[in-house]
Amino acid sequence: MFLSPAALTWLPGTLPLADAGWWPVAIFATAFLTCVSALARLALTRAAKDVVRLAFRCLPGKVQMTLGALTVGGVALLVFSTQQETSLQSAEMKDGRYVALDTTPHARGLVEISRRRYEDVLEGDQRTMLAVPGLLCLGAACAAMTAGELRRADRAAAPADVM
């Protein structure tokens, strides 16, 4: 859900939501609520950790492969975005100038930057803001599917009511 736009930040140009201040809050709220509901659903099964692991392994192979590929891609995207050799964050425009927060040790503060550097810093921030919630939602998907598999197994193992 969020990993695709995070990958799009590697393309030239900026994403259309770059100037909106509400989108990080909306993304993290969505990811948080999704994770909480998926973990609650998994907790309601009251299954042991070993059983949960076995239930995940009972998911169809294509589902496991897709979740695994998305996880590897999301982690790689996050690692590559954090390995950039920049110490600039939170780019913004103030009084017609482009500024960013410099986080190098002993030189912390706002520094003026060029427009090109501003776009690079903005894309890096977007990449992180999209990859982290994407991985959280991916974990929530794993939890929800595993809980569904546990419930399916419980229904199949339950004795039929005889009337």
Side-chain angles (χ1 to χ4, degrees):
M1 174 164 60
F2 299 121
L3 294 177
S4 298
L8 289 176
T9 60
W10 291 105
L11 297 175
T14 59
L15 290 176
L17 296 175
D19 295 330
W22 56 269
W23 71 275
V25 174
I27 287 173
F28 275 103
T30 301
F32 177 75
L33 293 175
T34 303
C35 286
V36 167
S37 65
L39 291 175
R41 182 176 176 183
L42 189 60
L44 288 175
T45 63
R46 295 186 183 125
K49 290 179 184 178
D50 292 339
V51 175
V52 170
R53 184 181 49 80
L54 289 173
F56 181 78
R57 292 192 61 197
C58 288
L59 289 172
K62 289 182 181 181
V63 172
Q64 289 182 23
M65 293 283 286
T66 302
L67 291 172
L70 286 172
T71 301
V72 168
V75 168
L77 186 67
L78 191 60
V79 167
F80 287 136
S81 69
T82 57
Q83 293 300 320
Q84 293 177 344
E85 294 186 24
T86 181
S87 59
L88 300 175
Q89 298 175 352
S90 305
E92 59 183 299
M93 239 180 112
K94 281 189 177 179
D95 302 324
R97 300 180 316 169
Y98 299 105
V99 295
L101 177 64
D102 189 1
T103 59
T104 54
H106 309 295
R108 227 175 149 84
L110 287 179
V111 294
E112 188 171 349
I113 55 175
S114 67
R115 178 171 173 76
R116 177 69 190 137
R117 189 85 166 135
Y118 165 79
E119 290 174 356
D120 290 342
V121 172
L122 198 60
E123 286 176 353
D125 288 348
Q126 288 174 350
R127 198 171 298 121
T128 304
M129 286 301 226
L130 292 168
V132 171
L135 288 172
L136 288 174
C137 287
L138 189 59
C142 291
M145 286 187 221
T146 302
E149 187 66 23
L150 285 168
R151 290 182 188 264
R152 185 194 62 77
D154 285 345
R155 279 194 302 262
D161 290 333
V162 178
M163 289 192 181

